[in-house]
């Protein structure tokens, strides 16, 4: 099993955090993983993406030319990476910010109203966690319990935000 993921959006959308959650879950679950962040010249508001490779075997390279899954958190990211996804792959689209539909017919598209669901979960800053829930269900790489354990560990020093993050994860997972 090997799962290659590109996550892309604006700085400040939790793109890097989303990638790190997947990487930490891989470690927690005893899988091999690489995580490669990429930032634009400015952080918040600039471009941001990361590549995550999860595998049962050692990962030869963190560079991904053709991901199995693209998570596009904004429109420029969808336009930049849509054509790179492997035929038969999946594109998860943050439909709160991207009204356009995926043009390709040889990939699956999942539209997640992440920003609205984050507000519904109780914290507008959890849109990335909503998408994490959708990715977890769609990919089948991790159980929800593994991902929730990682969320809980990540926010151990901010226990007040854990319930909203769990709620956001559940909303994404149950789409």
């Amino acid at each position: 099993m090997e799962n290659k993921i590109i996550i892309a959006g604006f700085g400040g959308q939790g793109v890097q955090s989303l990638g790190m959650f997947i990487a930490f879950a891989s470690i927690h679950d005893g899988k091999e993983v690489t995580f490669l962040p990429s930032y634009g010249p400015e952080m918040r508001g600039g471009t941001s993406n990361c590549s995550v490779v999860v595998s049962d075997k050692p990962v030869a390279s963190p560079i991904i030319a053709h991901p199995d899954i693209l998570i596009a958190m904004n429109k420029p990211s969808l336009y930049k990476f849509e054509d790179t996804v492997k035929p038969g792959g999946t594109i998860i689209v943050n439909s709160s910010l991207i009204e356009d539909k995926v043009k390709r017919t040889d990939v699956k598209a999942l539209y997640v109203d992440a920003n609205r669901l984050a507000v519904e979960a109780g914290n507008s800053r959890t849109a990335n966690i909503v998408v994490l829930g959708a990715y977890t269900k769609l990919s089948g790489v991790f159980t929800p319990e593994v991902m929730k354990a990682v969320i809980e560990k990540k926010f151990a020093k901010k226990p007040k935000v854990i319930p909203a993050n769990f709620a956001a994860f559940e909303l994404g997972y149950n789409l």
Side-chain angles (χ1 to χ4, degrees), residues 3-8 15-16 19-20 22-23 33-38 48-54 61-65 67 69 81:
N3 193 244
K4 296 178 179 181
I5 310 130
I6 291 181
I7 305 163
V15 167
Q16 302 299 325
M20 285 193 289
I22 295 169
V33 64
T34 61
F35 170 78
L36 183 63
S38 176
S48 177
N49 68 72
C50 65
S51 300
V52 184
V53 180
V54 180
S61 172
I63 307 297
I64 300 174
I69 297 178
F81 293 106

Side-chain angles (χ1 to χ4, degrees), residues 34-102:
T34 61
F35 170 78
L36 183 63
S38 176
Y39 305 95
E42 62 282 325
M43 294 292 226
R44 185 166 292 278
T47 60
S48 177
N49 68 72
C50 65
S51 300
V52 184
V53 180
V54 180
S55 181
D56 291 332
K57 297 180 245 172
V59 179
S61 172
I63 307 297
I64 300 174
H66 301 288
D68 301 300
I69 297 178
L70 167 63
I71 298 174
M73 294 296 286
N74 64 5
K75 195 182 293 190
S77 297
L78 178 62
Y79 293 156
K80 180 176 182 178
F81 293 106
E82 178 178 358
D83 290 336
T84 67
V85 178
K86 284 181 187 174
T90 303
I91 301 175
I92 300 174
V93 177
N94 177 4
S95 61
S96 296
L97 300 179
I98 306 168
E99 61 279 349
D100 299 4
K101 299 299 180 198
V102 172

Side-chain angles (χ1 to χ4, degrees), residues 118-175:
V119 170
E120 188 179 318
N123 184 338
S124 62
R125 296 177 60 189
T126 61
N128 63 333
I129 304 299
V130 171
V131 173
L132 180 64
Y135 162 79
T136 302
K137 175 74 172 260
L138 184 77
S139 72
V141 174
F142 307 102
T143 65
E145 293 75 26
V146 165
M147 207 53 85
K148 284 183 171 183
V150 169
I151 291 169
E152 193 167 33
K153 187 172 184 178
K154 170 75 171 139
F155 293 114
K157 293 184 179 175
K158 299 180 192 175
K160 289 182 183 176
V161 303
I162 292 173
N165 279 278
F166 278 177
F169 178 84
E170 287 291 332
L171 287 169
Y173 189 84
N174 292 321
L175 280 176

Side-chain angles (χ1 to χ4, degrees), residues 101-114:
K101 299 299 180 198
V102 172
K103 291 180 176 72
R104 292 179 56 190
T105 57
D106 64 339
V107 296
K108 291 178 231 132
L110 176 65
Y111 299 93
V112 179
D113 195 355

